[in-house]
Amino acid sequence: MSTILDKIAAIEAEMARTQKNKATAGHLGLLKARLAKLRRELITPKGGGGGPGDGFDVAKTGDARIGFVGFPSVGKSTLLSTLAGVYSEVAAYEFTTLTTVPGCIKYKGAKIQLLDLPGIIEGAKDGKGRGRQVIAVARTCSLIFIVLDVLKPLKHKKLIEHELEGFGLRLNKDPPNIVFRRKDKGGINLQTMCTQSELDLDTVRTILSEYKIHNADITLRYDATSDDLIDVVEGNRIYVPCIYLLNKIDQISIEELDIIYKIPHCVPISAHHRWNFDDLLEKMWLYLKLARIYTKPKGQLPDYESPVVLHSEKLSVEDFCNKLHRTIAKEFKYALVWGSSVKHQPQKVGKEHVLADEDVVQIVKKV
């Protein structure tokens, strides 16, 4: 492991020494590709066993999973216990492990699992201790809460982002709009839809040669960077939304609070005094992109107590059927839908129909 770390340190030092200009773009791209490959080895060693293991990962439950990341003593545990204590019908600590502390809250009918991840910072990037396992759990989350101390937020924010980025987590970013197709012959064919400030054919060839790729079609649909290209080639990046929680706002002035509110993806809170939790939960719901669909048995009123919760990218009637039970889609004849996704109330729809938040659905099966 130390040899990989030595190589990473040497490459990072060389990148820091190299001036950024058009002439060095290819060399820097090559170094970045090497760094990405070494980081991959660090996360999943060649021996294979890179999984969470040791009872570290907690079984996934509920409709979404949120990981709490932060330095020690910024208030992660207080926040977890306060949220789980205040907003859950039962203080649902379904698992007790010494490593990942789970909680569960119920919000707008959705069950959301909360995980307090320990020590993601202390040497996680160097694979020390349980860094790898913590990252493996973080990569399974639907949303990350980065908990920061409001008195020193920016310094900690940069450190944590650097740590997570190094392990292939991309926060609040969309996957690069790059088409990358390997082929058997024909060399590297690069197409660009707009002017590129960093990538040209030579730089792209240099980066791909590090991966031993000599034949590929690449289309850049926007002004892409070498990091974007490496992310696409690596193919193991996780794009996850993230909210920065600035804790301990009881220690700052109103004027400072006004400034903090302008930072993007940010919610100021006080876990101790339970301040601004409503704002936090609203933003959490928005970033999780969940939708509630209510079921209606024939001849009865809709069940508004326990909605079927779906992700906004999987909102078809077929997805709804599969969430209820796998066999329903096979027996499906049509569905009656009430709500904003249809023109008539109710409207007869097929499996492909895309539902909207708070629609009511009645499934009619084949006789």
Side-chain angles (χ1 to χ4, degrees):
M1 191 66 80
S2 61
T3 53
I4 294 179
L5 293 178
D6 293 342
K7 285 177 187 170
I8 286 175
I11 290 173
E12 284 179 338
E14 191 177 342
M15 281 168 69
R17 285 196 306 271
T18 309
Q19 279 188 323
K20 265 186 141 182
N21 56 43
K22 201 75 183 158
T24 60
H27 181 59
L28 278 170
L30 182 70
L31 292 176
K32 283 176 180 174
R34 278 184 192 158
L35 197 58
K37 282 169 69 182
L38 289 168
R39 286 231 186 284
R40 177 166 21 109
E41 273 183 54
L42 209 56
I43 305 170
T44 49
K46 283 177 179 167
D54 304 331
F56 194 91
D57 194 12
V58 176
K60 213 169 184 176
T61 64
D63 301 301
R65 171 183 258 200
I66 298 176
F68 287 51
V69 176
F71 281 98
S73 70
V74 290
K76 294 200 305 291
S77 304
T78 313
L79 181 62
L80 180 83
S81 54
T82 314
L83 275 174
V86 173
Y87 289 96
S88 67
E89 293 170 352
V90 290
Y93 297 102
E94 293 165 44
F95 310 90
T96 50
T97 71
L98 298 170
T99 45
T100 302
V101 180
C104 181
I105 64 171
K106 206 164 182 193
Y107 185 66
K108 293 191 177 181
K111 285 195 183 78
I112 296 163
Q113 187 181 35
L114 307 174
L115 298 179
D116 181 3
L117 301 178
I120 200 165
I121 292 310
E122 297 83 66
K125 192 153 93 320
D126 305 333
K128 278 184 197 160
R130 296 192 149 184
R132 264 213 320 277
Q133 292 97 315
V134 178
I135 300 289
V137 179
R139 285 170 68 97
T140 65
C141 293
S142 343
L143 173 65
I144 301 247
F145 279 173
I146 291 184
V147 188
L148 302 165
D149 188 327
V150 76
L151 299 173
K152 41 192 170 198
L154 290 175
K155 181 185 161 197
H156 285 183
K157 179 176 179 277
K158 280 196 175 125
L159 280 167
I160 294 173
E161 283 173 344
H162 183 62
E163 201 74 30
L164 295 176
E165 288 260 328
F167 274 102
L169 278 157
R170 299 290 176 261
L171 307 175
N172 294 326
K173 285 182 183 172
D174 292 322
N177 195 355
I178 295 175
V179 178
F180 169 69
R181 266 193 302 271
R182 291 187 188 220
K183 53 187 186 179
D184 297 328
K185 55 187 179 186
I188 302 294
N189 175 31
L190 177 67
Q191 284 188 311
T192 55
M193 301 283 193
C194 63
T195 313
Q196 298 294 317
S197 56
E198 189 175 323
L199 290 177
D200 55 23
L201 187 57
D202 289 341
T203 311
V204 169
R205 274 191 182 133
T206 309
I207 291 170
L208 293 181
S209 67
E210 179 61 28
Y211 288 96
K212 298 185 171 56
I213 298 170
H214 304 293
N215 301 293
D217 288 332
I218 293 143
T219 309
L220 306 176
R221 292 178 167 164
Y222 68 111
D223 186 6
T225 65
S226 48
D227 289 319
D228 295 338
L229 180 61
I230 290 164
D231 282 354
V232 171
V233 177
E234 282 280 335
N236 61 352
R237 305 301 190 226
I238 304 284
Y239 296 86
V240 65
C242 166
I243 298 176
Y244 302 95
L245 308 186
L246 292 175
N247 193 17
K248 307 182 184 176
I249 55 170
D250 46 311
Q251 298 177 15
I252 60 169
S253 67
I254 296 289
E255 290 77 22
E256 287 171 308
L257 192 57
D258 287 341
I259 295 167
I260 283 168
Y261 246 115
K262 290 172 185 164
I263 302 171
H265 313 296
C266 204
V267 180
I269 55 159
S270 168
H272 183 65
H273 294 289
R274 302 180 181 180
W275 290 352
N276 209 22
F277 276 17
D278 290 348
D279 200 10
L280 166 61
L281 291 167
E282 267 307 316
K283 199 152 200 163
M284 171 195 83
W285 183 260
L286 186 73
Y287 278 51
L288 283 173
K289 295 182 179 167
L290 299 177
R292 295 153 293 175
I293 310 297
Y294 302 109
T295 54
K296 183 189 177 304
K298 192 176 180 182
Q300 294 177 34
L301 289 169
D303 177 7
Y304 289 115
E305 291 301 309
S306 46
V308 175
V309 179
L310 299 173
H311 192 272
S312 61
E313 286 171 9
K314 289 189 170 181
L315 267 181
S316 70
V317 173
E318 190 169 5
D319 294 321
F320 171 76
C321 291
N322 290 337
K323 186 85 186 256
L324 287 171
H325 200 278
R326 286 197 195 99
T327 57
I328 292 177
K330 291 172 188 167
E331 300 165 357
F332 179 89
K333 188 178 181 188
Y334 63 87
L336 292 170
V337 177
W338 293 256
S340 57
S341 73
V342 289
K343 287 178 183 171
H344 313 290
Q345 311 292 334
Q347 188 169 320
K348 201 169 164 179
V349 299
K351 280 186 196 174
E352 299 76 37
H353 177 74
V354 177
L355 300 163
D357 188 27
E358 298 202 84
D359 274 3
V360 174
V361 179
Q362 179 184 323
I363 303 288
V364 179
K365 295 180 181 179
K366 293 173 189 165
V367 179

